[in-house]
């Protein structure tokens, strides 16, 4: 047995078999989907939910008949303002990206936990449809009581974040201004020399 495995030709065949098996398994598509939702307050009793779903094919082959369905938005809680909660595409090439977005209007106040969207697709080497799921969204606190933001809060945050850079830039600009502009004494001497 040792002479068979010790043979360099047999070792090369075993390595070639393992590499080809790994390459064949890596030839399949690999679908990743990311679902994002953001809230926009329109007024005190209306809030809009913007949903965006990105589908990535990180595999090495094209998928066909890609279908996205996001039924996690109940009709008694949300009205569709623009777009659709489902969409279909003919194909998604290897390394490609598909995006879909829609907007909803919230009807009631409260926490909402959305489920992942379902993506189905067809791979040419398999008979049955394949299925993938998007990432779930973080819980949304719809029409929540939020404290009013002070008008100078944005300036305070900006100054806290970039205060040191602003001071350095202003010192450099002041130095350049002082060097570049002539003083009154040198301006008076220059005018006397011209006479």
């Amino acid at each position: 047995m040792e002479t068979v495995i010790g043979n360099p030709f047999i070792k090369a065949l075993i390595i070639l078999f393992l590499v080809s098996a790994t390459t064949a398994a890596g030839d399949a598509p690999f679908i990743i989907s990311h679902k994002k939702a953001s809230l926009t307050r329109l007024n005190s009793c209306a809030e809009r939910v913007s949903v965006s779903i990105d589908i990535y094919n990180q595999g090495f082959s094209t998928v066909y008949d890609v279908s996205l369905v996001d039924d996690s938005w109940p009709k008694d809680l949300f009205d569709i303002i623009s777009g659709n909660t489902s969409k279909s595409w003919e194909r998604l090439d290897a390394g490609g990206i598909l995006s879909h977005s829609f907007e909803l209007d919230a009807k009631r106040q409260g926490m909402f936990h959305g489920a992942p969207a379902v993506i189905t697709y067809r791979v040419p080497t398999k008979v049955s449809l394949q299925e993938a799921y998007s990432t779930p969204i973080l819980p949304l606190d719809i029409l929540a009581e939020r404290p009013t933001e002070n008008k100078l809060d944005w300036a305070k945050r900006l100054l806290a974040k970039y205060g040191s850079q602003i001071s350095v830039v202003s010192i450099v600009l002041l130095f350049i201004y002082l060097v570049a502009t002539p003083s009154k004494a040198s301006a008076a001497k220059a005018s006397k020399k011209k006479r």
Side-chain angles (χ1 to χ4, degrees), residues 123-143:
V123 179
T125 57
K126 297 186 179 178
V127 176
S128 63
L129 283 175
Q130 304 299 306
E131 199 170 80
Y133 296 95
S134 73
T135 56
I137 58 171
L138 294 173
L140 299 174
D141 197 1
I142 298 170
L143 295 170

Side-chain angles (χ1 to χ4, degrees), residues 135-184:
T135 56
I137 58 171
L138 294 173
L140 299 174
D141 197 1
I142 298 170
L143 295 170
E145 299 288 330
R146 293 187 182 97
T148 58
E149 192 172 296
N150 192 358
K151 291 182 180 178
L152 295 178
D153 279 348
W154 65 271
K156 289 178 185 176
R157 278 184 271 148
L158 188 66
L159 194 57
K161 189 173 184 180
Y162 300 109
S164 60
Q165 289 94 344
I166 291 171
S167 64
V168 169
V169 169
S170 60
I171 290 171
V172 169
L173 290 175
L174 179 64
F175 178 75
I176 292 171
Y177 175 75
L178 291 175
V179 170
T181 56
S183 65
K184 291 182 182 178

Side-chain angles (χ1 to χ4, degrees), residues 38-73:
S38 61
L39 296 172
T40 305
R41 178 68 63 106
L42 301 175
N43 57 38
S44 62
C45 59
E47 196 159 32
R48 185 159 290 168
V49 182
S50 300
V51 181
S52 171
I53 303 170
D54 298 323
I55 304 169
Y56 305 92
N57 183 355
Q58 296 296 317
F60 296 104
S61 63
T62 301
V63 295
Y64 298 94
D65 302 330
V66 181
S67 177
L68 164 74
V69 178
D70 188 9
D71 289 334
S72 64
W73 307 96

